[in-house]
Amino acid sequence: MHPRLPSGVVLDTGRGGLGRLAIDTDICAAELYLHGAHLCRWQPRSQPHPVLWMSEASRFESGAPIRGGVPICFPWFGPKAGDPSAPVHGVARISSWNLDGVTREADGSVNVRLSLDSGTLASPHVLHDLRLAYELRLGRDLSMAFTVTNPGDAPITFEAALHTYLAVGDVRQVSVAGLEGAAYLDKVDGARRKIQADALVTIGGETDRLYVDTEAAVTLTDPSLGRRIRVEKTGSRSSVVWNPWVAKSKAMPDFGDDEWPGMICLETANAADNAVTVPPHASHTMTATISVEAS
Ligand code: TA6
């Protein structure tokens, strides 16, 4: 049974026969799959171009992650330490979430609440009793709040990321501000620990950086599309910047060979040094708020 839906919101069958929430209001259009609680589209009416990037080659099938939009990585980021058989980036993005509620807010935005508990978290790899809640507010801005609750008597430790794929005109021309001075693990260079010396991060090759101990907002400037995208966050001490460039794009079956210039991932995370420990009977919430303005 699904909750009653307000005007401008329908629950239908999307690609791959997967359940999809389609949102079409006077302030934004959006699409969210229950598979992975995966937001695939959010486009404010003010924006002629999509804000979230989606691969034309993405799979839409149970058990497989969707390529693009905002995948939720949990309870580990990247490969699972000591268990190469476990799915990369965890199991939340390949699990089927419950739709708990959808409401229309006074400002016209749509509020969506989803949940998942360890009973339905599809994996032998997750042994803890836990509950996940995900709340999105879709309007002129996009807000996402990911909450992990530990109903048990022992602490649980996890990593998580809102692995946001942003659409850009040409990734070779964009710059990212907000990470100056932050330490990062360079995954293109054996995860060596480095410091972001320059004020701006630019993309001139395969880039895969996990910035740690940073709570700063980041701002992407995209001269080709004439816009700035700002990502503000709370409850997050890591940020990830990723572009696969040429070779890695070719190596991924669900990513088009020539799609890499049109996207960049700016992820809101807690990973590596910043893994989170939630005490018994407590919760942790990580939020990201994305806004777009003309540059
Ligand atoms: O967030 C960057 C990253 O961890 C990269 O290392 C790259 O593998 C990317 O995620 C995509 O991972 P996926 O499992 O979705 O192919």
Side-chain angles (χ1 to χ4, degrees), residues 67 77 88-89 93 163 165 187 208 240 242 248 252 267:
R67 176 68 68 190
F77 183 77
V88 173
H89 288 324
R93 66 176 179 168
H163 192 303
Y165 288 76
K187 295 198 177 175
D208 191 353
V240 179
W242 181 56
K248 180 102 187 228
M252 294 183 284
E267 308 167 33

Side-chain angles (χ1 to χ4, degrees), residues 134-223:
Y134 190 40
E135 188 159 353
L136 304 97
R137 191 172 174 131
L138 303 125
R140 289 181 185 79
D141 296 344
L142 165 65
S143 290
M144 302 170 279
F146 177 68
T147 300
V148 178
T149 299
N150 174 8
D153 298 323
I156 59 172
T157 298
F158 64 87
E159 298 176 307
L162 297 171
H163 192 303
T164 308
Y165 288 76
L166 296 173
V168 297
D170 182 346
V171 75
R172 291 160 287 199
Q173 297 183 21
V174 306
S175 61
V176 179
L179 295 166
E180 185 178 5
Y184 67 93
L185 306 180
D186 186 348
K187 295 198 177 175
V188 177
D189 185 13
R192 266 190 194 78
R193 200 169 277 266
K194 301 177 180 177
I195 299 292
Q196 177 60 42
D198 300 335
L200 298 176
V201 178
T202 54
I203 309 295
E206 182 184 353
T207 302
D208 191 353
R209 298 179 179 182
L210 170 57
Y211 290 86
V212 292
D213 302 332
T214 172
E215 297 177 27
V218 294
T219 302
L220 171 85
T221 299
D222 181 350

